[in-house]
Amino acid sequence: MIRVCAPGRVNLIGEHTDYNQGFVLPVAIDLNLQLTLTREDQLRVKVIAENFKQEASFGPEDLIPPRENPCWLDYIKAVYWVLKEDGYPFIGSTIHIKSDIPLGAGLSSSAALEVAMTLALSTAGRFNHSLKEIALISHRAENDFVGVKCGIMDQFAVALAESNHALFIDCRNLDYRHVSFNLGDYKLVIVDSRVKRSLVTSAYNKRREECETAVKRIGELLNLEAESLRDISISDLKNVQVQLPPHLYKRSRYVIEENARVIESVNSLHEGNLDDFGYFMKRSHAGLRDLYDVSSPELDFLVDQASAVEGVIGARMTGAGFGGSIIVLARQDIINKLKHTVSESYEREFGLMPVFYGTRAAEGAVVY
Ligand code: ADP
Ligand code: MG
């Protein structure tokens, strides 16, 4: 029997930069998905999903992408499908899955499932994949089979993260590096707004288009070869500001500044300067709210309330926006006060109780 454990993840800074060929800085969190796989002689896969209290099975003939609304079994089929595309044999098995990563809360339970599944199958079949290859297979599973067009950050973080380190990823060439993330007296707190991210797909696609249009326009205006906003500097942008529609200027400015903030955040972590890191978190949130227009009243409220608590040095929304979670960097001794103050005011304002997860930078997926 093969036993695999894969964590959820949260992005510290570098939001909406991945599809602009920029930088991201996620950490794995200490909530995990556990998967066991036992090989069987028949060419059939039986899966037990404890979180759903359901059981299902499929064979090689059933590896057909869902037309709409993927169900949990599709994530398992997806990994089998990618491995089949790559010419690996179908491995009959019984799989058992349970997870304490909340589903659909923006903590990437889906990538945890894909990475755990890929790692288990690769181990069972002795396919000798590196962890980076495991991440890439998992990413293809989600994009090409499940049909969710996501960047590579989630699967990279889940597969490659190291304990007490953040993972710096250059989304242009997929180079990555571990950055020491020692929090000392501080803790990372995730606050789930409990607002479902309903607008997220349409807005996400719209932002992607806006960025593509902006790159083309700026490239033409400046007569330079720009593949993405990564190739444009803030002074380039200022030079064409009056010739750009205001919303395209705002989107571009956010992305260019956010990429710079990721680099500066990494530098401040190298120097052990958490105050600076917290400052960049706050600037990042302001950019997402005022320039990229993907925050929401709930997320802004949570960030403002948390920031006002003495002992909090940084707070920002994390994920695509319009709902989901914020992250807070808070001194350990004030976390109870933070929970109390923020819950009370949030409930008064929106009639919802936020959910708190205190976490640290955890290790990536492991096989036991
Ligand atoms: P997120 O990745 O932010 O948690 P997604 O919508 O991308 O949200 O992925 C959630 C989906 O992943 C679930 O609806 C389910 O289909 C699948 N999934 C995640 N965790 C599990 C699990 N423990 N068991 C079965 N399916 C899971
Ligand atoms: Mg997901």
Side-chain angles (χ1 to χ4, degrees):
M1 185 170 84
I2 290 158
R3 211 155 65 82
V4 180
C5 184
R9 67 93 191 92
V10 75
N11 192 22
L12 296 176
I13 196 161
E15 216 66 73
H16 287 277
T17 45
D18 56 351
Y19 54 84
N20 287 302
Q21 300 191 345
F23 309 118
V24 292
L25 191 69
V27 289
I29 58 176
D30 54 7
L31 296 171
N32 288 285
L33 178 140
Q34 268 125 31
L35 182 151
T36 61
L37 182 148
T38 310
R39 279 190 88 134
E40 307 288 355
D41 292 334
Q42 307 93 308
L43 283 186
R44 193 113 199 120
V45 180
K46 182 173 125 181
V47 195
I48 299 124
E50 243 181 53
N51 296 71
F52 288 88
K53 296 195 168 57
Q54 281 177 16
E55 197 181 300
S57 70
F58 63 89
E61 67 285 1
D62 300 321
L63 299 179
I64 299 155
R67 241 177 264 130
E68 52 191 5
N69 300 331
C71 73
W72 63 265
L73 190 66
D74 290 315
Y75 289 82
I76 315 288
K77 287 183 182 172
V79 173
Y80 268 88
W81 177 83
V82 175
L83 288 172
K84 185 181 148 205
E85 292 268 296
D86 286 353
Y88 293 102
F90 189 95
I91 295 179
S93 64
T94 299
I95 294 163
H96 194 277
I97 302 158
K98 64 173 181 189
S99 174
D100 51 24
I101 309 166
L103 278 57
L107 301 180
S108 219
S109 68
S110 61
L113 178 54
E114 294 143 10
V115 168
M117 196 56 232
T118 310
L119 196 50
L121 278 177
S122 182
T123 307
R126 298 179 195 272
F127 301 153
N128 285 320
H129 291 113
S130 67
L131 285 173
K132 187 173 178 179
E133 287 166 337
I134 298 283
L136 291 170
I137 291 169
S138 302
H139 179 251
R140 280 164 62 203
E142 181 142 355
N143 276 260
D144 301 346
F145 189 94
V146 178
V148 177
K149 304 287 173 216
C150 59
I152 48 94
M153 172 174 72
D154 298 357
Q155 291 81 9
F156 265 57
V158 171
L160 292 159
E162 280 180 7
S163 188
N164 297 321
H165 288 77
L167 188 72
F168 172 83
I169 311 169
D170 180 336
C171 298
R172 169 167 267 178
N173 57 15
L174 303 189
D175 276 352
Y176 63 90
R177 153 163 79 83
H178 296 101
V179 181
S180 171
F181 189 57
N182 280 322
L183 290 180
D185 296 337
Y186 287 81
K187 209 165 166 76
L188 190 62
V189 183
I190 300 165
V191 189
D192 181 354
S193 70
R194 308 265 315 285
V195 178
K196 285 269 172 262
R197 299 165 294 154
S198 53
L199 286 166
V200 79
T201 320
S202 58
Y204 179 85
N205 292 337
K206 185 137 181 262
R207 291 293 174 277
R208 284 187 84 133
E209 275 170 35
E210 288 168 348
C211 290
E212 280 168 27
T213 312
V215 175
K216 253 176 79 189
R217 291 281 274 282
I218 299 167
E220 283 162 9
L221 289 167
L222 290 170
N223 201 13
L224 57 84
E225 292 268 322
E227 207 185 306
S228 71
L229 286 169
R230 173 86 171 267
D231 300 314
I232 292 157
S233 70
I234 205 78
S235 59
D236 286 341
L237 180 66
K238 295 251 156 82
N239 286 337
V240 295
Q241 179 176 358
V242 289
Q243 292 150 281
L244 281 179
H247 75 289
L248 291 187
Y249 169 77
K250 281 168 59 183
R251 308 298 184 246
S252 307
R253 187 172 142 201
Y254 164 75
V255 172
I256 295 168
E257 289 180 346
E258 181 77 350
N259 272 328
R261 273 192 291 268
V262 179
I263 301 292
E264 289 179 291
S265 300
V266 168
N267 291 339
S268 62
L269 289 179
H270 277 312
E271 291 160 8
N273 190 337
L274 278 186
D275 284 321
D276 276 4
F277 187 80
Y279 169 78
F280 295 128
M281 287 172 72
K282 289 181 187 169
R283 298 304 307 153
S284 171
H285 184 81
L288 288 159
R289 181 189 62 207
D290 303 333
L291 297 173
Y292 216 64
D293 289 319
V294 292
S295 189
S296 70
E298 292 87 354
L299 295 172
D300 291 342
F301 187 87
L302 285 174
V303 166
D304 289 344
Q305 293 289 313
S307 301
V309 177
E310 201 269 332
V312 167
I313 53 176
R316 61 182 286 274
M317 56 158 274
T318 182
F322 298 105
S325 300
I326 70 159
I327 51 171
V328 182
L329 207 50
R331 215 170 56 223
Q332 279 180 26
D333 61 310
I334 60 99
I335 288 177
N336 279 335
K337 183 172 170 227
L338 172 76
K339 286 183 186 170
H340 184 77
T341 320
V342 172
S343 300
E344 202 178 48
S345 55
Y346 188 69
E347 196 192 8
R348 214 180 315 118
E349 187 80 10
F350 296 103
L352 278 170
M353 279 302 266
V355 184
F356 294 78
Y357 304 93
T359 191
R360 57 184 193 89
E363 58 276 24
V366 281
V367 189
Y368 294 102

